[in-house]
Amino acid sequence: MSGLVQKDVLIRRARESDLPALIAIFASDAVGGHGDTTASDAYEDYLKAFTAIDLSPNERLFVAERDGEIVGTFQIMFNRTLTGRGGLSMIIEAVQTRADTRGQGIGAMMIDYAVSEARRRGCRLVQLTSNMARQDAHRFYERLGFAKSHFGFKMKL
Amino acid sequence: MSGLVQKDVLIRRARESDLPALIAIFASDAVGGHGDTTASDAYEDYLKAFTAIDLSPNERLFVAERDGEIVGTFQIMFNRTLTGRGGLSMIIEAVQTRADTRGQGIGAMMIDYAVSEARRRGCRLVQLTSNMARQDAHRFYERLGFAKSHFGFKMKL
C-alpha cells in the first residue's frame, strides 16, 4: 500500500511521530465519548496501541497529511467470516477529519482509499458504523455508495 | 476459552466437522443476503475460510451445541484502536440461532459467553451490527445491555 496523492493531500500509513497529532484529533471529538485525552500520562497507552496495530497483519492505521500536518485519520481491519461464502470483509474504524479541515474532500479521499484497498484485497464487503448523532457523516457515507442498512450496538465494559 | 455448559447447551469453538451444519444455518438466513449456499461446489470456499479463522489469533468461531446438534453460532474478533485510549474492542459477527430453536435462550447464552470473554481479555467495548429488518434482534440486544447508538453502513463490492 503506497501513499495516494491527490490535490495536496497524501494518504499514508501512520508513523509513531504522528501520534501526538492523532491523539489531539481523537481528544477533540465530543461525539465519540471514548475518553481520549492529550494528557501526558496517557501517551504510553496510545504508543502501545499504535505498536500493536502497526505489527498486526490485519490492521492498518492511516493518516491524511497536508503541508506536513495531519488533517485526518482512519483505520482498516480485515476479517474473514463463513457468511458470504467464506469471504473477506473490511471494517473501517475511527474515521476522523480534523475539525478545521472538514468539507474539503479529505474524508472522501480517505474512504476512497480504503475502498480501493478492499477491492485490491478481494473483499466482498466494506463496513463501518457511525454514531447516530453524526448526521452529516451518514449523508456522506450514503453519497459514497454505502447503504445505511444496519443498526450498530455497543456495550461499554 | 473452555466450553461453557448451561442447561443442555454447550458453547464451544467450532470444529471442521461442524461446517455442514453451519453452512446450512447461514444458507437458510433470508435476511442477510450474503449468498450463502449448501451447494457442494461452495464447500471448499467455506473450508478455506474456516481454516483461516481457526488459525487467526484475533478471531474465534463458536457454536452452540445441544444433543449433538449445532443450534447456533457466532464469531468474535478483537481489534485495537487508538480511540478509547488505545483500548481493545471485541466485534461480534455472524450471530445465528437455528430457526427452529429460537426463543429458547440460546442467543443470550452465546452473547453472554462473548461478553464474558471480552471482559476476560480486558476489552473496553463490545460491538456488533444487526440488519435493520431484524427487529426482534434489536430488542434482544438492548435487553442484554447493548446501546443502539450507531448506524451500520455496508458497501458490497
Side-chain angles (χ1 to χ4, degrees):
Chain A
M1 288 184 273
S2 60
L4 168 74
V5 182
Q6 189 182 315
K7 299 172 195 163
D8 49 350
V9 177
L10 170 74
I11 312 268
R12 61 162 173 81
R13 278 185 74 171
R15 298 189 285 252
E16 190 181 318
S17 56
D18 301 322
L19 261 183
L22 291 174
I23 296 166
I25 287 175
F26 291 123
S28 70
D29 174 26
V31 176
H34 299 295
D36 288 298
T37 170
T38 55
S40 60
D41 65 348
Y43 188 79
E44 198 180 337
D45 291 342
Y46 289 109
L47 179 57
K48 273 188 200 164
F50 172 82
T51 305
I53 297 164
D54 202 47
L55 292 173
S56 167
N58 294 318
E59 293 169 288
R60 287 277 183 283
L61 179 66
F62 289 93
V63 296
E65 180 185 326
R66 188 172 59 191
D67 298 331
E69 292 192 353
I70 304 304
V71 291
T73 181
F74 64 102
Q75 184 174 334
I76 62 175
M77 174 175 36
F78 295 96
N79 93 295
R80 176 90 45 193
T81 55
L82 290 184
T83 44
R85 213 167 156 153
L88 194 66
S89 298
M90 174 187 281
I91 298 174
I92 306 177
E93 287 253 4
V95 182
Q96 292 278 349
T97 302
R98 207 178 69 188
D100 61 326
T101 61
R102 288 186 192 143
Q104 301 172 17
I106 295 165
M109 274 186 62
M110 295 195 296
I111 299 299
D112 281 350
Y113 187 97
V115 171
S116 299
E117 187 59 20
R119 290 187 198 279
R120 199 182 69 79
R121 289 277 298 258
C123 291
R124 68 178 182 94
L125 183 74
V126 181
Q127 53 179 316
L128 59 90
T129 66
S130 179
N131 192 298
M132 285 186 181
R134 303 193 202 267
Q135 294 183 21
D136 289 351
H138 307 157
R139 284 187 289 269
F140 166 77
Y141 290 120
E142 290 189 296
R143 225 162 41 228
L144 292 178
F146 285 83
K148 192 170 79 175
S149 55
H150 286 62
F151 288 116
F153 293 84
K154 313 263 173 173
M155 184 193 288
K156 293 191 181 181
L157 301 183
Chain B
M1 287 182 271
S2 60
L4 169 73
V5 182
Q6 190 181 313
K7 299 171 194 164
D8 49 350
V9 176
L10 170 74
I11 310 269
R12 61 163 174 80
R13 276 184 75 169
R15 298 189 284 251
E16 191 181 319
S17 56
D18 301 322
L19 261 184
L22 292 173
I23 296 166
I25 287 175
F26 292 123
S28 71
D29 174 26
V31 176
H34 299 295
D36 288 299
T37 171
T38 55
S40 61
D41 66 348
Y43 188 80
E44 199 180 336
D45 291 342
Y46 289 109
L47 180 57
K48 274 188 199 164
F50 173 82
T51 305
I53 297 164
D54 203 47
L55 292 173
S56 167
N58 293 320
E59 293 170 286
R60 286 276 183 284
L61 179 66
F62 288 94
V63 296
E65 179 185 325
R66 188 172 60 191
D67 299 332
E69 292 191 353
I70 303 304
V71 292
T73 181
F74 63 102
Q75 183 173 333
I76 61 174
M77 176 176 32
F78 295 95
N79 93 295
R80 177 84 53 186
T81 55
L82 289 184
T83 43
R85 214 167 156 153
L88 195 65
S89 298
M90 174 188 281
I91 298 173
I92 306 178
E93 287 255 1
V95 182
Q96 292 278 349
T97 303
R98 206 177 69 187
D100 61 325
T101 61
R102 289 186 190 144
Q104 301 172 16
I106 295 166
M109 274 186 63
M110 295 194 297
I111 300 299
D112 281 350
Y113 187 97
V115 171
S116 298
E117 187 59 21
R119 289 187 198 280
R120 199 182 68 78
R121 289 277 297 260
C123 290
R124 68 177 182 94
L125 182 74
V126 180
Q127 52 179 318
L128 59 90
T129 66
S130 180
N131 192 298
M132 285 185 179
R134 302 193 202 267
Q135 294 185 20
D136 289 351
H138 307 156
R139 285 187 289 270
F140 165 77
Y141 290 121
E142 289 188 296
R143 227 162 40 227
L144 292 178
F146 285 82
K148 192 170 80 174
S149 55
H150 287 61
F151 287 116
F153 293 83
K154 314 263 173 172
M155 184 193 288
K156 293 191 181 180
L157 301 183

